[in-house]
Amino acid sequence: MKTSIAISTEAIVSTLLAETALRHHLSADRPPLLTRDQTQALLCLAEGEAAAIAAATGAAVSPSGDDVGILTLEMEIPATISAPTVRLLIEKTVASRIAATAYAGVCSRTASAATSQAAETLAALRSLLSAPATIVPSRI
């Protein structure tokens, strides 16, 4: 059965900005800070990365009508997996891929960590989506 998952590119960018601000202030190598001034560029990257994740998982993606910044992914999700879990993995993968792109050539350590995180979350997402449905026998 196809399930609709709404992805907010604005929420992804807000989370990304918060995560990079923490890294900037807490990390010894102090990677450059991403700011709200870069929001439009980050939103464009978020849409592209969400579309790439949709393609990688076999989902169909479309804008959600009047809701600017919301993309709807239609995908097959096993009955044993919750849609919010899938949404969170998609959002984390998108945010990590944006961070990898943003820091490529600027901070190789941060870009490498983001690339690894993106690969791990995409692998987890693919694994969840390909898991066979578990049928629980009824109790007699």
Side-chain angles (χ1 to χ4, degrees):
M1 180 171 94
K2 293 266 185 188
T3 302
S4 294
I5 298 178
I7 304 293
S8 169
T9 55
E10 292 174 356
I12 291 170
V13 169
S14 291
T15 300
L16 176 63
L17 291 172
E19 288 176 355
T20 59
L22 284 172
R23 276 192 206 100
H24 174 78
H25 291 293
L26 299 176
S27 180
D29 62 352
R30 297 184 57 87
L33 185 63
L34 295 177
T35 67
R36 290 270 174 213
D37 293 342
Q38 298 148 334
T39 297
Q40 288 306 312
L42 295 172
L43 287 170
C44 288
L45 288 173
E47 284 190 22
E49 293 297 347
I53 300 304
T57 59
V61 63
S62 62
S64 292
D66 295 334
D67 292 332
V68 176
I70 303 291
L71 298 173
T72 301
L73 276 63
E74 293 283 332
M75 58 194 330
E76 294 286 337
I77 298 178
T80 56
I81 308 301
S82 72
T85 299
V86 173
R87 181 183 53 80
L88 289 172
L89 282 170
I90 292 168
E91 289 176 350
K92 183 62 180 170
T93 304
V94 170
S96 296
R97 288 172 70 151
I98 293 169
T101 299
Y103 286 110
V106 176
C107 180
S108 60
R109 184 173 175 200
T110 302
S112 178
T115 299
S116 294
Q117 180 67 49
E120 289 172 16
T121 54
L122 182 57
L125 176 63
R126 284 180 167 162
S127 176
L128 277 178
L129 294 175
S130 65
T134 303
I135 299 173
V136 179
S138 61
R139 294 185 181 202
I140 300 176

